[in-house]
Amino acid sequence: MTSATKTTPSVAPRRAVLSDPGYQAFAILRVGFTVAPILFGLDKFANLLVDWPTYLAPWIDDVVPGSAQAAMYAVGVVEIVAGLAVALAPRFGGWLVAGWLAGIIVNLLTIPGYYDVALRDFGLLLGAVALARLAQRYHGERRPH
């Protein structure tokens, strides 16, 4: 058997996976739900995008120890971990992000004037669930090199 016949079978399945719209959707969601939580998590420490403590419901601020900014530091760590979980184990990470977004939605629904952001986050939650389901389908598929 020549080396060409040994490598040809592995190239064809990779091309098939790349051309599969389901796999493409999985890859897009995986990258998005890896990068966004990590970037937003890092920004909880810098407040460059927005003043994050204003997104914390007063009742939650009353329950958690420390300041609202200290709570945002903890939120940032969770978001970074969630993004890394999506990168490393999307079948688990997708559900982790979906659950985290559900908590964020509950928080936002208890702050008047943030309902539009809660609705946006519901859309993101649906995307995270879709990622988790697609990860179940594509778990173990070899990604192209």
Side-chain angles (χ1 to χ4, degrees):
M1 190 180 261
T2 67
S3 65
T5 56
K6 288 181 184 176
T7 58
T8 303
S10 66
V11 172
R14 278 190 262 165
R15 285 189 186 141
V17 168
L18 280 177
S19 65
D20 175 12
Y23 183 81
Q24 292 169 356
F26 165 68
I28 291 165
L29 289 169
R30 186 175 188 181
V31 169
F33 281 107
T34 294
V35 173
I38 291 172
L39 290 178
F40 287 127
L42 289 171
D43 194 55
K44 298 300 188 288
F45 295 90
N47 289 309
L48 295 174
L49 297 173
V50 69
D51 182 24
W52 290 109
T54 62
Y55 285 85
L56 186 65
W59 69 271
I60 294 176
D61 191 20
D62 292 341
V63 173
V64 298
S67 67
Q69 183 59 56
M72 286 299 119
Y73 294 149
V75 166
V77 169
V78 170
E79 290 175 345
I80 292 166
V81 168
L84 293 173
V86 169
L88 300 173
R91 287 191 308 170
F92 168 74
W95 291 115
L96 177 63
V97 169
W100 184 249
L101 284 163
I104 292 171
I105 291 165
V106 168
N107 169 71
L108 292 170
L109 288 175
T110 63
I111 307 171
Y114 287 88
Y115 305 130
D116 57 332
V117 181
L119 180 60
R120 180 215 52 206
D121 284 352
F122 180 71
L124 289 171
L125 182 149
L126 294 176
V129 170
L131 168 65
R133 296 301 299 138
L134 287 166
Q136 183 70 34
R137 162 63 179 90
Y138 292 102
H139 176 72
E141 297 263 349
R142 288 190 49 88
R143 289 180 290 175
H145 301 295

